[in-house]
């Protein structure tokens, strides 16, 4: 459990960095970058918890989450060039991050007593809606709507986790397998440039 | 009451179809279309219930609502051309739908004990905010801001319903008359290309 | 306290006017202008209270707030040219308004028992998120992301208020000093065209 908590803080830290750097090519100032890092890091979990009436929100109830975000923003401010060059590393971190937060989101929703179908949606929301809100605020088309296997990988992993949990698979195995599934789908889709068809 | 519940599910189904088809001309894939259908169907009621602290949210507490949405998305995936040709039919369904959901939204808000003025706003939100959130996420100017009698028709009907309820009109009559008022305003405005003036 | 309540209603009134006039150059009709005025006036406080689970929302629990908003929208409808000419006056009112609502937002969050760091963020949200939501809905880049000292002034004042409150400064002094700080930062930044650096 302590290890998991450490990963949650690290994941939040990484999301804040990538959020702050996401608007680097734009006309935004440091404050805008910090705000974007903040929204990216908290958006998904916040939306999930508001939809599920699960208060206090994680970052409001646990100040360490806010500190992890501020540390991420600070890192982006101090080492923007260094961190921007680590694009491949970040892609990997982000992929691990969405896998991790998807599965934790499903678990939290299930623990609040909602049905598995709803929990799967909440898991996907946890992972991707921070980026969606960030993109909406900064007038970008959210990645979710672009032709890329991203949120759909999270949804597949979330459905898998909820199903396995229902079937009684031991929690830690389930967590690792479901995360790996999300990560594998995303990496394979990137490597072979796979995408879902359009609606027509 | 059973009839009303059936209409609610049908209305949700139709909103999900029109939401999924709404982004058809864009670069979105199937996942994006499904997501858009989902948001369109749940957005208005979800916003209303979050504002009113009315939990669980309808689609989280009643799994049939989610199934109606998934059925709508599936229908849009399987018969996109057929359904797109039914544009006039959909316009009619959408008009009936916003009338119906406006009135139910006012009723729900009143049943939660808020004042009629607030309930009227909540009714309008129920009907139109799903589309507003969808348009915002996909970088469109929401229909609400375009020169068309749409949300304003809902607001007029919502105010009418709240007033008649206050004056003691029997509920089912009130529901039918208020819905008809919204539908009539929208149809007449479309036929005669009526619009509200601009602010200048 | 009565004086403070009067200022809250006046501030809401002014925010509704400036929100309704904000989209004047666009293709929006009167309904869109009214909607924009409404969102601008309630957005920040509503977001704060949803994040903090503080129900009923201010404008739902106190009908005078809604009346202040409707009065502001009506004023914008009746005197658009006159009010648009008062741009400088409005800039001043807006600056006083964000100072005032920031500080009250911090105070409310503290009274709900959250930590000072969180309360400072909530104060800033109270003041600026109405405009952010408005800009997002109307497809503008929110002012927060433009190179202007706006939300950052609120954040500085909010942190100052939370710190002084923690250190035991008498509430009314703290309120006046923190508000003045926000107003001073914004006015000085405008006069000398100060801005934060970009991230690069």
């Amino acid at each position: 459990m302590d290890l998991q908590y450490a990963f949650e803080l690290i994941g939040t830290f990484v999301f804040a960095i990538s959020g702050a750097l996401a608007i680097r090519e734009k006309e935004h100032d440091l404050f805008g970058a910090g705000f974007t890092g903040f929204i990216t890091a908290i958006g998904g979990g916040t939306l999930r918890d508001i939809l599920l009436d699960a208060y206090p929100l994680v970052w409001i109830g646990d100040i360490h989450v806010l500190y992890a975000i501020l540390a991420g923003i600070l890192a982006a401010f101090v080492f923007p060039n260094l961190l921007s060059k680590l694009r491949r590393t970040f892609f990997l971190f982000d992929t691990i991050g969405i896998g991790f937060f998807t599965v934790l989101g499903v678990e939290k929703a299930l623990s609040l007593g909602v049905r598995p179908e709803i929990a799967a949606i909440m898991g996907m929301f946890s992972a991707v809606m921070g980026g969606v809100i960030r993109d909406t605020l900064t007038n970008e088309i959210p990645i979710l709507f672009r032709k890329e296997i991203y949120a759909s990988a999270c949804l597949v992993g979330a459905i898998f986790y909820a199903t396995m949990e229902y079937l009684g698979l031991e929690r830690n195995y389930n967590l690792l397998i479901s995360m790996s599934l999300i990560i594998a789908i995303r990496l394979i889709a990137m490597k072979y440039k796979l995408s879902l068809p359009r609606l027509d």
Side-chain angles (χ1 to χ4, degrees), chain A:
Chain A
M1 200 61 192
D2 280 353
L3 188 66
Q4 180 183 317
Y5 184 60
F7 278 129
E8 281 185 56
L9 293 183
I10 293 171
T12 303
F13 172 78
V14 172
F15 272 31
I17 293 179
S18 67
L21 294 176
I23 60 164
R24 230 194 139 193
E25 275 103 64
K26 303 203 161 192
E27 284 303 301
H28 302 153
D29 62 12
L30 281 184
F31 184 85
F35 186 84
T36 313
F38 180 72
I39 294 290
T40 308
I42 64 150
T46 296
L47 180 65
R48 176 199 63 212
D49 290 345
I50 290 174
L51 293 175
L52 293 173
D53 199 22
Y55 288 95
L57 302 179
V58 176
W59 56 281
I60 291 179
D62 176 5
I63 199 73
H64 297 115
V65 177
L66 184 63
Y67 291 163
I69 295 170
L70 295 179
I73 293 169
L74 193 67
F77 283 4
V78 178
F79 310 111
N81 292 312
L82 178 66
L83 290 166
S84 291
K85 271 182 208 143
L86 298 174
R87 190 176 289 210
R88 276 162 174 278
T89 314
F90 262 91
F91 173 77
L92 195 64
F93 277 10
D94 183 69
T95 301
I96 297 171
I98 59 170
F100 183 62
F101 284 119
T102 296
V103 174
L104 292 191
V106 180
E107 187 176 49
K108 177 162 188 183
L110 286 173
S111 78
L112 291 164
V114 303
R115 288 180 59 112
E117 298 94 325
I118 299 294
I121 294 173
M122 292 299 152
M124 187 256 288
F125 274 17
S126 309
V128 307
M129 291 303 280
V132 169
I133 296 169
R134 173 196 67 211
D135 291 341
T136 304
L137 288 177
T138 56
N139 254 4
E140 294 284 322
I141 302 279
I143 191 173
L144 191 149
F145 293 113
R146 283 172 275 178
K147 276 181 78 71
E148 198 178 295
I149 304 284
Y150 185 77
S152 41
C154 295
L155 188 58
V156 169
I159 292 171
F160 183 86
Y161 183 89
T163 310
M164 288 300 116
E165 156 79 25
Y166 185 77
L167 296 176
L169 181 60
E170 203 270 313
R171 185 250 186 199
N172 283 341
Y173 286 117
N174 194 359
L175 198 149
L176 279 176
I177 297 171
S178 302
M179 262 187 73
S180 306
L181 180 62
I182 295 170
I183 296 167
I185 293 174
R186 177 136 167 80
L187 293 182
I188 291 170
M190 283 304 271
K191 186 164 171 62
Y192 296 100
K193 301 195 190 305
L194 304 178
S195 64
L196 289 173
R198 289 188 53 213
L199 178 62
D200 54 17

